[in-house]
Amino acid sequence: MKLRLSYPTKPWIITQKFGEKKVCVKIESPGVPLGARKLREKTGSMCPIGYEDLYEKLGMNGHNGTDASAPRWWPVYAPLDGQVIELVAELERGLGIGILSHEKLDFGDPYGTHYAKVRLWHFQKLNVTKDQWVKRGSLVGWCGDSGIATSPHVHDELKPVDFKPNAEMYNTVQDNGFYGAIDPESYRDNETPPPSIVGSFFGFLKQKTTWT
């Protein structure tokens, strides 16, 4: 079966695509964690004085997912059927979950057939528990700005994964410069959000760029 992902929230207003490098983080002493540092947008391809590229600092070639703006407390839904295998709170990424597909799926060339692991970050609050099985479209939480974020948004991340003989899970393309993540937008169903949802969303949306 081919991998198909629905949108975690609607409308899907992308503010940073996979692979982009829009964000800089303030240079501080080594003891100051990234999650406690200020963020700034690049001017062209350059960081402002006193700032450095966030993704290079994280050891990546660029952004390893898709960021989409949404108001705080906007509902976030599971983009595929699967099991919640991660329930995490981190200083940098904030509150997040990882959902593993219940079967292997066809990612197409050059990735092949593997399990799909979707990670969603920056929640305000979660509506799931660890090991819970969820259906595509199930409410998994509400949008927030926990972790490194300039305003509420959803960070959506996709990884093809598989298992070693000892049942240890691994990323099949770990050394691709994005810690095994690939562009989730290549697998969207491309549904059109209902006009009523679009209208209510723009009533709340803050007109500002959002990054992770």
Side-chain angles (χ1 to χ4, degrees):
M1 182 183 296
K2 289 186 177 181
L3 172 62
R4 289 291 181 265
L5 300 174
S6 60
Y7 294 100
T9 192
K10 294 181 180 180
W12 193 236
I13 309 296
I14 295 176
T15 53
Q16 185 168 214
K17 298 177 181 179
F18 183 91
E20 289 188 321
K21 300 174 69 174
K22 293 183 176 182
V23 192
C24 305
V25 62
K26 189 174 182 180
I27 298 172
E28 300 277 7
S29 61
V32 180
L34 284 177
R37 303 186 190 188
K38 292 182 179 180
L39 301 180
R40 291 279 301 274
E41 184 179 6
K42 286 185 176 180
T43 303
S45 60
M46 303 295 293
C47 286
I49 295 174
Y51 286 76
E52 58 186 328
D53 186 283
L54 172 64
Y55 302 106
E56 291 180 7
K57 186 72 175 176
L58 292 170
M60 297 190 294
N61 292 340
H63 189 229
N64 68 336
T66 300
D67 283 346
S69 270
R72 192 185 311 277
W73 295 109
W74 199 257
V76 180
Y77 304 99
L80 78 171
D81 296 345
Q83 185 177 25
V84 179
I85 61 168
E86 295 175 339
L87 211 65
V88 186
E90 296 181 1
L91 183 62
E92 288 82 11
R93 293 176 179 266
L95 188 61
I97 62 172
I99 302 173
L100 182 70
S101 64
H102 66 280
E103 62 181 342
K104 288 190 174 185
L105 299 166
D106 180 10
F107 283 77
D109 293 333
Y111 304 112
T113 301
H114 303 284
Y115 292 95
K117 178 181 174 182
V118 170
R119 305 176 93 188
L120 303 169
W121 295 97
H122 306 299
F123 284 93
Q124 183 74 18
K125 185 179 179 180
L126 298 176
N127 191 51
V128 291
T129 57
K130 193 172 184 298
D131 299 326
Q132 178 180 337
W133 289 90
V134 294
K135 297 290 291 182
R136 171 173 151 152
S138 301
L139 177 67
V140 294
W142 294 270
C143 180
D145 58 356
S146 57
I148 300 179
T150 59
S151 64
H153 72 285
V154 178
H155 172 92
D156 182 21
E157 192 176 304
L158 171 66
K159 296 184 177 185
V161 300
D162 229 308
F163 292 88
K164 298 178 181 179
N166 65 358
E168 178 185 354
M169 186 170 63
Y170 67 95
N171 298 326
T172 63
V173 288
Q174 174 63 22
D175 298 326
N176 68 343
F178 300 95
Y179 293 131
I182 62 176
D183 187 0
E185 300 311 305
S186 303
Y187 302 95
R188 296 292 183 208
D189 277 344
N190 295 320
E191 321 105 318
T192 301
S196 59
I197 295 180
V198 174
S200 59
F201 175 87
F202 280 105
F204 285 99
L205 182 61
K206 296 178 180 178
Q207 300 299 322
K208 59 190 294 188
T209 306
T210 304
W211 313 296
T212 300

